[in-house]
Amino acid sequence: MKKEYHVGDQVFVIYRNPHTANVANITQGEVVQHPENDSDVALLLHESYHLLSDDDAIYTSYEEAERAYNELFDYEPYQG
């Protein structure tokens, strides 16, 4: 099922550090108009645009992201 995102949505993302594979954090991002496709949206995160896909770890609240993080990485509770 495709998730629906709208321009202006504030979201929380479980984001893996691309330089250190075993490090992940909860980061706030924003859904914005896709810079190259007017009929699509993108995720603005760390001043970069990211295409959205159904398997992205995107949540509507920090608490929801924190619960998912703790389920995925059950060795320690997330403390952001």
Side-chain angles (χ1 to χ4, degrees), residues 50-67:
H50 302 272
L51 299 178
L52 295 166
S53 68
D54 288 338
D55 62 350
D56 288 337
I58 299 176
Y59 305 93
T60 57
S61 72
Y62 181 87
E63 293 77 18
E64 184 183 10
E66 187 176 43
R67 279 191 301 276

Side-chain angles (χ1 to χ4, degrees), residues 17-79:
N17 183 324
H19 305 290
T20 310
N22 64 343
V23 175
N25 294 297
I26 297 172
T27 304
Q28 186 172 7
E30 181 179 1
V31 177
V32 297
Q33 189 68 47
H34 192 289
E36 298 173 0
N37 182 352
D38 290 340
S39 64
D40 205 358
V41 294
L43 176 65
L44 181 60
L45 186 67
H46 300 295
E47 300 181 19
S48 297
Y49 294 99
H50 302 272
L51 299 178
L52 295 166
S53 68
D54 288 338
D55 62 350
D56 288 337
I58 299 176
Y59 305 93
T60 57
S61 72
Y62 181 87
E63 293 77 18
E64 184 183 10
E66 187 176 43
R67 279 191 301 276
Y69 182 98
N70 290 333
E71 288 176 17
L72 292 168
F73 307 101
D74 62 353
Y75 48 87
E76 282 182 35
Y78 182 76
Q79 296 179 1

